Amino acid sequence: MKKVKLAFQKLIFTLLVSCATEPVEMPRGAYEEGVLVINEGAFGANDGEIFHYETESGEMESSIFEKANARPFAGLIQNMRSFGANRYLVANTGKVEIVRSDDFVSVGAVNEGLINSRSLLATDGKLFISDWGAYDENWNNPESFIAVVNGLEGGSVSKKIAISSRPEGMTFLGDRILVACQQEQLISVINPENETVEKTVSVSGTPFYFFNYANRTYLYANDAENVYAHRLDPVTFEVEETQTFGVVNSIYNGNFAFTGSGELVVISNQADEDVVVKLSLGTGTVSEARFYSGKNFYGLGYDEATQTLFIGEHAGWQGNGSVLRINSAGALIDQLPAGRGPSGFYFP
């Protein structure tokens, strides 16, 4: 009897240790799989929304923010960022909506103190939000700023850090925040602890967004004749190398996609068509000058798992747009319904 009891105790101990040490795979939420489509919305209508593409069924679900919260988003969505368990929907109509990643139910917002918000970072219990500020009589933005919010679930703006005009994309590099400032073509370096700008770095072209490749941080920029990929020094934040690609009229909103094999995918707005161009960071050359072409291209995204390119098509802003899925050979897979101005894609 004692042996049976001892064996039973060992079994219970083994089960307890196993449950305590082996990771338990929790089921993911409905919106933590598939593809999230950012529909910017039309100016004046403020009808930006997020759609969800379910990869296995091939179905596109519309307006998931409105469905989850029983109210429309009511803004123009400029960007979506993910930090922790939350996603942050940044509207250039001056607000940030904060939702849970798994079900898109709202957990907070920043509704006051913003004017023309563009992107966002979260760190150490604070939000940093880039904002162009108001336009002056010449359509410039001389009072741009980075808004600081004490709380990862929103609240009021506690401070506005004055910054070079038209701050756009943001990223962390080491313990500093880098901000792409468009109008003066430079990077601003912010110390998030004391909330001050420490230095600025001039770059070629109009800077938009940062991306990572081969464990290094790059900045994407363009002008009427070229696309630039600036590799940044992780200590000084200076540009240590620039690759210049001859691409005319790359899309004005700075949207691009990046593949795991080191290719930048951009849109060239040409005379009577839009052309998708592939650029190789490995060789520094245009790898495919005409990967795919069409009209009204606005957004790009790349699904590494299926090697599928997603193109947002805005239909001339005459109603809702669509999403084109393109395979690795440059052939159309299908065309899916979208909202107004599909501008970006997020692959959880």
Side-chain angles (χ1 to χ4, degrees):
M1 182 67 181
K2 289 183 178 180
K3 290 183 178 180
V4 173
K5 182 177 181 181
L6 181 59
F8 180 73
Q9 289 174 339
K10 287 183 178 180
L11 175 61
I12 294 298
F13 176 76
T14 301
L15 290 173
L16 289 173
V17 171
S18 176
C19 290
T21 58
E22 293 182 7
V24 178
E25 186 173 341
M26 301 297 291
R28 303 190 75 189
Y31 302 129
E32 294 177 297
E33 306 277 2
V35 183
L36 296 173
V37 181
I38 303 170
N39 298 285
E40 182 177 306
F43 182 76
N46 288 355
D47 53 355
E49 250 295 353
I50 305 295
F51 283 21
H52 176 253
Y53 174 68
E54 214 289 317
T55 308
E56 291 188 6
S57 68
E59 295 182 358
M60 183 76 82
E61 181 183 0
S62 64
S63 305
I64 64 174
F65 179 90
E66 183 171 3
K67 289 178 181 177
N69 299 287
R71 60 181 173 88
F73 179 81
L76 300 178
I77 303 176
Q78 180 68 27
N79 213 322
M80 180 171 66
R81 304 300 304 272
S82 293
F83 295 97
N86 295 334
R87 292 205 171 98
Y88 297 80
L89 309 182
V90 183
N92 61 17
T93 38
K95 70 171 182 174
V96 173
E97 292 274 5
I98 306 167
V99 301
R100 294 195 300 244
S101 296
D102 57 354
D103 59 10
F104 258 69
V105 171
S106 176
V107 296
V110 182
N111 288 317
E112 297 180 359
L114 302 176
I115 300 172
N116 188 345
S117 36
R118 314 295 292 186
S119 190
L120 176 149
L121 287 180
T123 180
D124 295 331
K126 295 189 288 188
L127 302 178
F128 291 82
I129 306 167
S130 58
D131 196 301
W132 282 14
Y135 290 96
D136 64 13
E137 64 277 7
N138 297 314
W139 292 100
N140 295 315
N141 303 87
E143 297 182 351
S144 297
F145 58 91
I146 303 297
V148 182
V149 176
N150 293 317
L152 299 183
E153 295 187 349
S156 59
V157 173
S158 63
K159 181 178 180 177
K160 292 184 177 181
I161 306 170
I163 201 166
S164 297
S165 183
R166 296 187 180 177
E168 194 72 25
M170 310 169 71
T171 194
F172 292 109
L173 186 53
D175 58 356
R176 294 297 186 264
I177 294 174
L178 305 189
V179 186
C181 298
Q182 295 188 331
Q183 199 153 34
E184 297 170 40
Q185 297 185 352
L186 53 81
I187 300 168
S188 290
V189 181
I190 292 178
N191 183 329
E193 290 190 6
N194 59 27
E195 300 171 1
T196 61
V197 176
E198 290 186 334
K199 68 180 294 186
T200 60
V201 177
S202 297
V203 298
S204 298
T206 299
F208 283 92
Y209 303 109
F210 300 89
F211 64 97
N212 294 320
Y213 172 59
N215 297 318
R216 301 302 297 271
T217 297
Y218 287 76
L219 172 65
Y220 173 91
N222 66 21
D223 58 27
E225 301 294 332
N226 298 298
V227 164
Y228 304 94
H230 300 295
R231 191 178 72 204
L232 306 179
D233 186 285
V235 177
T236 66
F237 314 113
E238 300 285 337
V239 175
E240 62 180 12
E241 180 184 81
T242 296
Q243 293 189 28
T244 303
F245 303 91
V247 179
V248 297
N249 299 323
S250 49
I251 192 165
Y252 61 89
N253 59 14
N255 285 341
F256 67 93
F258 188 68
T259 74
S261 60
E263 283 186 316
L264 279 170
V265 185
V266 302
I267 298 169
S268 173
N269 297 132
Q270 300 184 9
D272 58 351
E273 63 180 350
D274 296 331
V275 178
V276 175
V277 183
K278 285 189 173 184
L279 315 172
S280 171
L281 288 185
T283 63
T285 62
V286 176
S287 54
E288 291 193 59
R290 293 184 63 86
F291 178 70
Y292 193 80
S293 63
K295 293 183 180 296
N296 301 319
F297 292 171
Y298 194 59
L300 289 170
Y302 185 76
D303 185 0
E304 192 69 43
T306 61
Q307 297 186 349
T308 301
L309 180 69
F310 286 66
I311 303 175
E313 182 269 325
H314 61 61
W317 298 100
Q318 302 301 309
N320 289 341
S322 62
V323 172
L324 311 179
R325 295 198 310 136
I326 313 299
N327 67 20
S328 59
L332 177 67
I333 300 171
D334 53 22
Q335 186 166 350
L336 307 168
R340 290 280 191 97
S343 60
F345 302 88
Y346 187 84
F347 304 89

